[in-house]
Amino acid sequence: MTTTGYRSSLARTLMFALLYAAAVYAGRRTAMVADGVTLIWPAAGVAVVWFCAHRDAPTRRLDTVLLVVILGVGNWRTGAPWDVSVVAGFVGLIQVSLFQWALHRWRPNLWGAGGHEPLRSPRDLWVLFAVTVFTCVGTHLASMLGRVLVTGSLPVAVSAMALARHVASILIIGAAGIHLGARLSRWRDGPPLRRPSFWRAAEIGGIFALSIAGHLGAFAYEHGLPLSFALLGLTVLAGTRLRTPWVLLHNAVISTIAVQCTLSDRGPFAQVPDVGQRAVIVQLFDILVALVGLALALGRDERVTLLTALDEEKTALDTQKNLLTAVIDSMADGLAVIGADGRVTLRNPAVTELLGGCRSPDDALAGSDWYGLYHVDGTRYADEELAYLRALTGEDVRGVDMLVRNPAVPEGRVVRVTATALPHPDGTHSAVVLFHDVTAERRHRDELTSFAGVVAHDLLNPLASVEGWTAATLDALDGVPDHPCLDQAHADLARLTRASARMRGLIDGLLAYATAREAAVAASPVDLTEVVADIAQARADAAVAAGKPEPRFTIAELPPVQADPVLVRQLVDNLVGNAIKYTAPGVVPRLVITAATTGEMVTVRIVDNGIGIPEGQHDAIFGNFHRAHAGSAYAGTGLGLAICKRIVERHGGDISAADDPGGGSCFTFSLPAAAAAHPRLAPV
Ligand code: ADP
């Protein structure tokens, strides 16, 4: 704690102590003029604000001592017996302590209770009211106990009156202190306060003038009419039109007028003959004015805050919406949201463009004939096959190719459609449909495939000639007598033979790739166990013939699949061949082949004990010409897995690669089960 901090805390302590002494004196004065009955007790409210402001101040102990002393001495010096005054001093301390404890427990966010918030809503007010009543009841139980101990008598009427004046005091002065204290502490480090406009200032002044005149009229003039009920209307006017700080001021002014007039035997409450009852009534009037005015003002403040927040949120949402609309509208891909009733709730311009400008009337989706939709093989699209309908039934439609052919696009456009269901909070669904134009991509791919096929075929002939002439030259060399250049010629021809073999491997790969793309799928039940066993035997024989370690196979019972037998053989042979090839030198290749049926698909796993796939390349190896172990001792073209992927996809299945926990790799692919009635063949 710095000296400056302590000094300013001490200065505040002295200021509050003076204020408190004045409040005690003012309260006791009302007792002097009203036959010993204390009519008001502003000291309770001042003490609460004092201790709230000094909740964590370094002069807390001094505050406590000063409060007890001022209250005790104040009572004694104004006529109370010394023993009652001592009790009063300690009861005052109990009151502030109880108030602080209860407020901290129920509203710790409020200023003075541990937080920094002002009163913000009617709920805050009701909690403050409950805390006030709780505090005052607790304090007066303590006070009564003290009085009984000191005087031996229990003045019930005085206690009821004291309860009312303490509640009124804390509610009016305490609420104002907490609210303004919070605003003040924020104002110091927050933005500067805005000055009200001329008309607003005029309205505030007008309401104050009207209310003061009305209350003076009802209290200060002797007309004998019980007009106090009508005064609540003025409080309601102030509460509905003024902000909380103004209402707090209004409450204080009105309460002062009511108390002062009643003290000087004027106004409607002065007609009550019993001074004690009169005091209770005027306090109840003050409490009512405070509660009504504050509840209305806080409700209004809360509404204004909520409306401002709502407005800001709406503006932010509008900005975001405009941004999203701009992004969606500028997309080259088409995006549409279609409701369960077939109505298009959102569609960007690209959708209309991709569908050749076809737009159904009234935003209700039309049948596939309207748009001219076909399968890629040229057959008509049935209405129930439309992607959005499939998405609405829960199916995840991914990358289905669709041919759009209508008068606007007579040459046809291939669009890849993806659709997913979008659930709404009310339990209904919409479908989000994405359209991506793949015409150019497809054409390019088809051209490339046929080019690869043609090139591969055309290359085979000259290659066969090269191989033939190489063999012939080798034969011819056998008859040549020893010559210094003969060894060199043999070595060169061996290199030529190896290069030709590599070239043939590449051409075979290209041809297989083109075939895997082009050939029609002739699906029939295939005994997978038999195919795998056959391939395993052939591979084992080839390894023995080549003088390499013989691979060991563990083959489980594999369910039959519905697939093209030639393509399935090519698929399994590629995978088994890779598993044997990518094994460390000298290691006996071990393969475990298992399968499981899931729904309509059979999933096959081929696990090896090979060298594994380098990190991050598990997907890339399925791309054309991708070699993960390029440059190493393993020969290849990088086409085998691309062919496998194509074969599997053409049967509607998936293929993937993963690391096997045992050290090698694990390739998994799925094909339609033989029992499945309709194998999902992807359109080509
Ligand atoms: P390649 O003709 O090079 O074998 P593939 O398309 O069959 O071409 O395989 C692509 C790449 O994937 C290979 O170059 C190799 O790096 C990796 N690969 C394929 N199968 C395996 C395997 N069983 N274990 C480790 N790596 C493999």
Side-chain angles (χ1 to χ4, degrees):
M1 167 57 44
T2 61
T3 328
T4 340
Y6 188 83
R7 275 209 196 123
S8 66
S9 174
L10 193 64
R12 277 199 307 276
T13 293
L14 293 178
M15 182 198 77
F16 272 117
L18 282 176
L19 211 62
Y20 186 65
V24 169
Y25 179 71
R28 293 294 298 159
R29 247 192 77 79
T30 61
M32 291 171 236
V33 290
D35 300 337
V37 177
T38 310
L39 216 55
I40 57 166
W41 192 243
V46 173
V48 159
V49 180
W50 178 4
F51 276 66
C52 279
H54 267 199
R55 192 182 156 78
D56 303 311
T59 49
R60 274 286 307 218
R61 290 219 177 116
L62 184 62
D63 293 335
T64 310
V65 173
L66 281 176
L67 179 111
V68 175
V69 170
I70 293 171
L71 193 53
V73 172
N75 270 281
W76 176 54
R77 295 297 297 160
T78 51
W82 70 268
D83 44 1
V84 173
S85 302
V86 171
V87 170
F90 283 103
V91 166
L93 186 62
I94 291 175
Q95 187 168 52
V96 282
S97 309
L98 263 184
F99 180 86
Q100 279 211 308
W101 175 82
L103 197 65
H104 175 68
R105 195 172 160 75
W106 290 327
R107 266 295 181 273
N109 58 320
L110 284 184
W111 179 85
H116 303 280
E117 298 287 322
L119 297 171
R120 283 202 184 281
S121 65
R123 216 182 137 68
D124 283 344
L125 176 67
W126 301 131
V127 172
L128 179 70
F129 183 51
V131 168
T132 305
V133 171
F134 164 81
T135 304
C136 294
V137 169
T139 308
H140 284 281
L141 286 178
S143 166
M144 272 156 49
L145 190 69
R147 273 172 179 254
V148 170
L149 289 179
V150 172
T151 62
S153 68
L154 182 67
V156 178
V158 171
S159 289
M161 218 164 10
L163 197 63
R165 67 174 179 251
H166 279 251
V167 170
S169 170
I170 296 182
L171 208 59
I172 295 167
I173 301 175
I178 289 173
H179 194 79
L180 299 179
R183 298 246 163 215
L184 221 66
S185 63
R186 286 197 168 187
W187 169 67
R188 255 188 267 135
D189 7 270
L193 290 181
R194 271 185 296 133
R195 280 174 110 219
S197 69
F198 171 78
W199 291 112
R200 182 77 183 128
E203 187 188 14
I204 296 169
I207 290 174
F208 263 85
L210 188 69
S211 188
I212 291 171
H215 283 84
L216 283 177
F219 278 99
Y221 293 101
E222 288 304 332
H223 40 59
L225 300 172
L227 285 179
S228 47
F229 70 92
L231 297 175
L232 267 185
L234 292 167
T235 301
V236 170
L237 175 70
T240 45
R241 292 300 310 159
L242 303 182
R243 292 186 66 104
T244 308
W246 291 114
V247 173
L248 288 165
L249 181 65
H250 176 266
N251 290 349
V253 173
I254 298 314
S255 307
T256 310
I257 293 176
V259 166
Q260 276 303 329
C261 290
T262 309
L263 263 179
S264 46
D265 286 341
R266 287 166 175 276
F269 305 141
Q271 289 165 16
V272 177
D274 181 80
V275 182
Q277 287 175 359
R278 197 189 293 177
V280 173
I281 288 173
V282 78
Q283 295 300 346
L284 288 180
F285 175 79
D286 287 352
I287 291 172
L288 200 64
V289 164
L291 286 179
V292 171
L294 272 179
L296 288 170
L298 288 171
R300 185 169 165 275
D301 282 1
E302 190 182 33
R303 207 176 58 239
V304 169
T305 312
L306 287 177
L307 285 177
T308 314
L310 213 67
D311 250 19
E312 281 168 6
E313 204 151 304
K314 191 172 167 296
T315 315
L317 276 178
D318 280 350
T319 317
Q320 204 174 357
K321 187 177 154 230
N322 292 341
L323 184 75
L324 263 179
T325 311
V327 170
I328 290 173
D329 284 357
S330 62
M331 270 166 54
D333 282 354
L335 174 76
V337 179
I338 304 159
D341 56 354
R343 287 205 167 269
V344 183
T345 45
L346 185 149
R347 106 170 15 107
N348 69 351
V351 174
T352 319
E353 165 101 24
L354 287 175
L355 295 179
C358 275
R359 223 183 137 131
S360 53
D362 304 332
D363 281 339
L365 214 71
S368 61
D369 281 353
W370 171 272
Y371 304 100
L373 305 182
Y374 301 85
H375 288 288
V376 190
D377 61 7
T379 54
R380 280 239 166 238
Y381 231 96
D383 284 353
E384 58 276 11
E385 282 181 276
L386 286 174
Y388 92 92
L389 278 179
R390 287 164 60 191
L392 285 175
T393 58
E395 194 182 329
D396 210 13
V397 184
R398 299 239 153 248
V400 172
D401 287 354
M402 183 174 80
L403 180 68
V404 181
R405 188 181 288 138
N406 55 39
V409 266
E411 73 287 1
R413 172 178 290 147
V414 183
V415 176
R416 184 156 295 163
V417 186
T418 299
T420 35
L422 179 74
H424 296 299
D426 61 0
T428 60
H429 284 82
S430 291
V432 182
V433 191
L434 258 176
F435 300 83
H436 178 63
D437 188 351
V438 290
T439 318
E441 195 181 302
R442 242 190 114 79
R443 194 173 298 141
H444 187 67
R445 194 193 73 189
D446 291 350
E447 280 167 4
L448 206 70
T449 312
S450 56
F451 173 74
V454 171
V455 167
H457 261 120
D458 290 358
L459 282 179
L460 274 179
N461 277 339
L463 184 66
S465 300
V466 171
E467 284 172 343
W469 285 112
T470 313
T473 314
L474 271 171
D475 285 348
L477 280 182
D478 282 347
V480 173
D482 244 1
H483 187 273
C485 295
L486 201 57
D487 282 351
Q488 181 62 40
H490 269 292
D492 291 349
L493 284 173
R495 249 182 242 125
L496 192 61
T497 311
R498 277 204 302 279
S500 304
R502 263 207 313 280
M503 180 102 167
R504 179 169 286 281
L506 200 60
I507 293 172
D508 285 347
L510 275 174
L511 258 178
Y513 184 62
T515 317
R517 272 198 179 291
E518 292 303 302
V521 172
S524 61
V526 177
D527 185 341
L528 210 53
T529 318
E530 198 183 298
V531 173
V532 172
D534 202 29
I535 291 171
Q537 188 58 55
R539 286 286 176 177
D541 292 347
V544 173
K548 293 186 177 159
E550 185 185 342
R552 304 269 174 232
F553 289 89
T554 309
I555 305 169
E557 191 62 33
L558 309 172
V561 292
Q562 183 78 11
D564 186 313
V566 178
L567 296 180
V568 169
R569 177 172 284 274
Q570 196 178 354
L571 164 71
V572 178
D573 191 52
N574 266 343
L575 294 175
V576 169
N578 276 349
I580 295 170
K581 179 164 66 171
Y582 293 105
T583 309
V587 174
V588 175
R590 289 183 194 282
L591 282 80
V592 180
I593 305 173
T594 53
T597 309
T598 332
E600 293 181 351
M601 304 299 280
V602 170
T603 306
V604 181
R605 280 161 56 88
I606 301 180
V607 177
D608 62 44
N609 63 335
I611 54 174
I613 300 158
E615 181 75 29
Q617 303 218 27
H618 296 73
D619 287 334
I621 52 173
F622 292 98
N624 297 341
F625 303 108
H626 186 94
R627 306 210 63 227
H629 301 97
S632 58
Y634 304 95
T637 60
L639 273 174
L641 289 181
I643 294 170
C644 292
K645 184 174 165 68
R646 186 63 198 152
I647 292 174
V648 170
E649 279 179 353
R650 292 192 66 198
H651 287 83
D654 290 319
I655 185 165
S656 60
D659 292 333
D660 184 61
S665 316
C666 169
F667 283 78
T668 309
F669 66 86
S670 58
L671 290 173
H678 306 290
R680 293 191 291 130
L681 298 186
V684 175

